[in-house]
Amino acid sequence: MEKGKELITLAQRIRALSQTGLAYSANEYEIDRCQELIEISNRITGITSGIKEEEIDACYLPTKEYVTPKVDIRAVIFNEKDEILLVREKADGRWAMPGGWSDVGYTPKEVAEKETKEETGLDVRAERLLAVIDKRCHPYPAGPFYIYKMFILCKVLGGKLSGSFDILDQGFFALDNLPPLSLDRTIPEDIRMMDELRHHPDAPVYID
């Protein structure tokens, strides 16, 4: 692991332990120490990533219980030409597999189907979990959150490509002609791995 990502991983761990400490500490001295450790975590992440400390802190909601990783769910959709479906994110103008944060009250399959409908206009059926990865273990750019990513193979049932408020465009792309990717959301290694896994239905789910 490169040093920058390793430092951010350590900062995330410091923050997680500190936020958990805040949730369970009754002693004012311990609370002050935990808050200071959160500020140190923000500073390490800011120095390493270039993100302002106040922006990092704003990413996190106040926590009153044990801190756990966030879960990002991505729908893996190929057409009959073996092209992959990608959406162009309004946030950075780059492309990613449809999906986003998991939602309370929805199963992972339901999230994949719902996000695909919202972002592409297509009706899909989630069929198979391909992989569960720890973002830390793969070559993503540094970021403030500790994230697990779930990739779910989906089949198109109907609908037609259309936009949404946070998506600029949608389309299918050949694997040897991918557009600029939104690397915080989808990296080329993701696409290559999912293409390989979908061709082996009897293989076990890839898990970090």
Side-chain angles (χ1 to χ4, degrees), residues 51-71:
I51 302 172
K52 294 180 180 180
E53 292 178 41
E54 57 267 26
E55 294 178 0
I56 295 166
D57 201 53
C59 290
Y60 294 89
L61 296 172
T63 301
K64 296 183 179 181
E65 57 184 34
Y66 197 85
V67 177
T68 61
K70 294 178 73 67
V71 179

Side-chain angles (χ1 to χ4, degrees), residues 9 21 24 46 55 68 71 74-75 91 116 128 130 135 141 183 194 203:
T9 298
Y24 292 102
E55 294 178 0
T68 61
V71 179
R74 295 287 156 178
T116 300
R128 181 159 61 97
L130 296 178
K135 198 173 178 184
L183 296 178
M194 298 315 126

Side-chain angles (χ1 to χ4, degrees), residues 3-53:
K3 290 184 178 180
K5 289 182 68 175
E6 185 174 3
L7 281 173
I8 286 181
T9 298
L10 292 173
Q12 291 168 336
R13 182 65 177 153
I14 291 171
R15 172 178 273 277
L17 291 170
S18 302
Q19 287 189 282
T20 302
L22 286 175
Y24 292 102
S25 295
N27 182 289
E28 288 187 10
Y29 176 68
E30 291 179 358
I31 291 172
D32 287 343
R33 289 180 64 185
C34 289
Q35 189 59 55
E36 184 176 354
L37 286 170
I38 288 174
E39 293 171 1
I40 292 171
S41 170
N42 290 343
R43 183 162 177 76
I44 293 171
T45 303
I47 291 171
T48 307
S49 68
I51 302 172
K52 294 180 180 180
E53 292 178 41

Side-chain angles (χ1 to χ4, degrees), residues 69-75 89 96-103 108 111 115 119 129 131-133 135 140 146-152 182 184-186 190:
K70 294 178 73 67
V71 179
D72 178 24
I73 295 177
R74 295 287 156 178
E89 299 280 349
M97 284 183 263
W101 299 129
S102 57
D103 295 312
V111 172
E115 290 287 328
E119 295 184 356
L129 178 64
V132 179
I133 71 170
K135 198 173 178 184
Y140 294 92
Y146 199 101
I147 297 169
Y148 291 166
K149 295 176 70 72
M150 300 176 65
F151 295 88
I152 299 176
S182 180
D184 192 51
R185 298 169 176 84
T186 297
D190 291 338

Side-chain angles (χ1 to χ4, degrees), residues 85-97:
L85 178 62
L86 300 174
V87 297
R88 188 179 178 204
E89 299 280 349
K90 187 175 182 180
D92 60 8
R94 292 174 175 264
W95 297 78
M97 284 183 263

